[in-house]
Amino acid sequence: MINSMTGFGRCEVSEGDRKITVEMKSVNHRYLDVSMKMPKKLNFFDSSIRAILKKYIQRGKVDIYISYEDMSEGNAALTYHPGIAAQYVEYFRRMEEQFNLKNDMQVSVLARCPEVFVMEEQQEDEKEIRHLLEQAVCGACERFVEARAREGEALKEDLIQKLDGILETAGVIEERFPQILAEYRQKLEAKVRELLADAQVDENRIVTEVTIFADKICVDEEIVRLKSHVEAMKSALKTGGSIGRKLDFIAQEMNREANTTLSKANDLEVSNCAIDLKTAIEKVREQIQNIE
């Protein structure tokens, strides 16, 4: 099985008054690049989340969005700071003496002074939150991998079709090569007879010239290597796994053979076939960029 590098996964886990939602999506990337957005109170679990992700994902630019809701009534409490209140009272008394002002301090006035009363969140149960968070992250990852696998299967089928097309085009070039030599020999013999008129044509010389020409335009080695690369890629696709980099390397080698074939082409049909090869290989490389 092969995986695409594009995918989406979502999981929502709730227990009691707590709810955690994890959404993740990805696009292709040379390496694993993870970007997370989550509430500050969950930042403590950053390394744990990344450790879980590495079990499911090898490559891709992954964006993760985590939301946390706590609907319990006891998740925040009002705290009274008597020490700070005492300092306010003392300073108000000093201001009364220094500036000869009436001290109209009342409880309602003191209560509005900063930090006398503070709304503070209660200490969360770290183990419970970690348990919920890991459940949500694992659930989102499983759905994410499933989506990647479905797209990967579609990519695999498309690539195999394209590779079969490359083999067909390579076969056309192989069949055309003997015809090119036969046509060249006919043209050469006709030209020699025209120049020599009634003189006897040296058959050995003709054979030598045809052999030199054949060696110059021969692409047998290139086609054999190209077919070998195609079969290697098809085998890797059927084997599956994290093969994106391997396939990219094979595609580069395929393109090299197509370039050499085009440079040696001395026939319009072969030239057109070589161009078709390059076009098809480029399409294969584009698709490979989406494979993990």
Side-chain angles (χ1 to χ4, degrees):
M1 181 180 69
I2 65 172
N3 291 329
S4 167
M5 278 196 286
T6 57
F8 176 81
R10 184 180 188 277
C11 183
E12 183 179 292
V13 176
S14 59
E15 186 174 299
D17 296 317
R18 293 188 175 95
K19 182 173 72 173
I20 294 180
T21 304
V22 177
E23 291 185 355
M24 55 193 302
K25 61 180 181 179
S26 72
V27 294
N28 58 328
H29 196 273
R30 292 182 63 187
Y31 310 105
L32 178 59
D33 180 14
V34 179
S35 174
M36 286 191 285
K37 292 183 179 180
M38 57 184 172
K40 289 183 179 180
K41 65 172 62 181
L42 299 182
N43 285 344
F44 177 78
F45 303 104
D46 183 279
S47 59
S48 301
I49 296 171
R50 293 180 185 274
I52 293 174
L53 292 175
K54 288 181 180 179
K55 296 178 182 179
Y56 292 90
I57 311 167
Q58 280 72 50
R59 293 175 64 202
K61 187 180 187 309
V62 185
D63 293 313
I64 301 178
Y65 305 92
I66 303 174
S67 63
Y68 173 70
E69 296 179 44
D70 187 350
M71 308 302 293
S72 60
E73 295 180 357
N75 64 340
L78 190 64
T79 303
Y80 168 54
H81 294 154
I84 294 178
Q87 291 182 43
Y88 277 116
V89 171
E90 174 62 21
Y91 282 120
F92 286 143
R93 187 188 62 77
R94 293 183 187 180
M95 292 170 63
E96 177 187 15
E97 295 176 355
Q98 182 179 356
F99 300 107
N100 193 24
L101 297 173
K102 179 181 178 182
N103 189 346
D104 55 353
M105 172 60 65
Q106 295 180 355
V107 173
S108 59
V109 175
L110 184 61
R112 289 196 293 269
C113 292
E115 303 300 328
V116 174
F117 289 106
V118 177
M119 187 69 72
E120 294 181 346
E121 291 188 0
Q122 297 300 297
Q123 186 67 29
E124 298 278 7
D125 186 340
E126 183 181 314
K127 289 185 178 180
E128 184 177 345
I129 294 177
R130 181 187 293 273
H131 175 68
L132 287 176
L133 182 59
E134 288 181 352
Q135 273 189 306
V137 171
C138 289
C141 284
E142 289 170 1
R143 291 167 176 76
F144 176 77
V145 170
E146 290 172 1
R148 278 184 150 197
R150 287 194 299 270
E151 187 169 338
E153 190 63 26
L155 284 173
K156 172 184 171 182
E157 294 177 2
D158 181 65
L159 283 169
I160 289 178
Q161 289 181 358
K162 287 181 169 59
L163 292 172
D164 288 339
I166 290 173
L167 288 177
E168 291 180 8
T169 304
V172 171
I173 294 176
E174 280 185 315
E175 292 177 2
R176 178 61 182 157
F177 184 69
Q179 299 174 15
I180 296 173
L181 293 182
E183 292 171 3
Y184 177 76
R185 177 164 186 154
Q186 291 176 359
K187 291 179 181 178
L188 184 61
E189 288 179 347
K191 189 69 174 177
V192 170
R193 285 195 174 90
E194 181 182 344
L195 293 173
L196 298 180
D198 296 332
Q200 186 176 0
V201 176
D202 185 351
E203 185 65 26
N204 291 332
R205 184 59 182 170
I206 295 292
V207 171
T208 300
E209 289 296 330
V210 172
T211 302
I212 294 173
F213 177 74
D215 185 62
K216 185 183 299 184
I217 68 167
C218 180
V219 291
D220 287 353
E221 292 183 8
E222 287 77 8
I223 296 300
V224 168
R225 285 195 294 266
L226 177 61
K227 286 185 172 182
S228 175
H229 295 324
V230 169
E231 294 301 333
M233 185 174 288
K234 291 174 71 174
S235 176
L237 285 168
K238 292 174 182 177
T239 302
S242 184
I243 57 174
R245 290 191 181 94
K246 179 179 180 180
L247 296 183
D248 189 51
F249 174 76
I250 296 175
Q252 292 179 38
E253 295 302 309
M254 290 168 58
N255 193 53
R256 193 193 311 277
E257 305 304 337
N259 283 333
T260 305
T261 300
L262 181 59
S263 66
K264 287 185 175 183
N266 195 35
D267 176 76
L268 180 60
E269 186 175 345
V270 172
S271 295
N272 290 336
C273 286
I275 292 172
D276 290 342
L277 283 177
K278 285 178 60 62
T279 302
I281 292 170
E282 185 59 31
K283 290 180 179 179
V284 167
R285 289 192 68 182
E286 289 176 1
Q287 290 286 56
I288 287 172
Q289 302 310 310
N290 293 317
I291 294 179
E292 186 177 38

